């Protein structure tokens, strides 16, 4: 997404980047965390975790809802 603008849609091609980072981390035997931000919803969170993301950053999917806790739980799966 374009940094600094909330509410943007998820970029599906970013999942390939996450998978590439996972392969690199494993091949090099490194321990860094892989973070993904932008368009994170319960559905995209599942896909990002499946791709190997360790940290998910969600803004709009939480703060534009009346129940932050329920939204966080839904994203966590």
């Amino acid at each position: 997404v374009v940094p600094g603008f909330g509410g943007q849609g998820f970029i599906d091609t970013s999942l390939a980047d996450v998978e590439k980072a996972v392969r690199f981390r494993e091949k090099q035997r490194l321990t860094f965390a892989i973070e993904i931000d932008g368009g994170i919803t319960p559905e995209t969170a599942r896909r990002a975790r499946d791709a190997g993301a360790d940290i998910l950053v969600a803004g709009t999917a939480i703060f534009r809802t009346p129940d932050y806790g329920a939204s966080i739980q839904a994203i966590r799966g």
Side-chain angles (χ1 to χ4, degrees):
V1 298
V2 178
F5 298 96
Q8 296 179 61
F10 187 75
I11 300 174
D12 290 312
T13 56
S14 65
L15 296 176
D17 293 333
V18 170
E19 292 167 345
K20 183 177 178 181
V22 169
R23 288 190 302 272
F24 177 80
R25 179 175 63 186
E26 291 171 354
K27 182 177 181 181
Q28 298 298 319
R29 297 185 177 148
L30 300 172
T31 58
F32 61 85
I34 299 169
E35 179 176 319
I36 191 165
D37 181 7
I40 298 298
T41 65
E43 162 62 18
T44 59
R46 180 190 56 75
R47 294 172 54 213
R49 281 192 305 275
D50 289 348
D54 303 302
I55 301 168
L56 309 176
V57 179
T60 300
I62 296 169
F63 297 112
R64 288 193 183 163
T65 65
D67 187 341
Y68 296 170
S71 298
I72 292 167
Q73 285 302 108
I75 289 169
R76 286 182 174 166

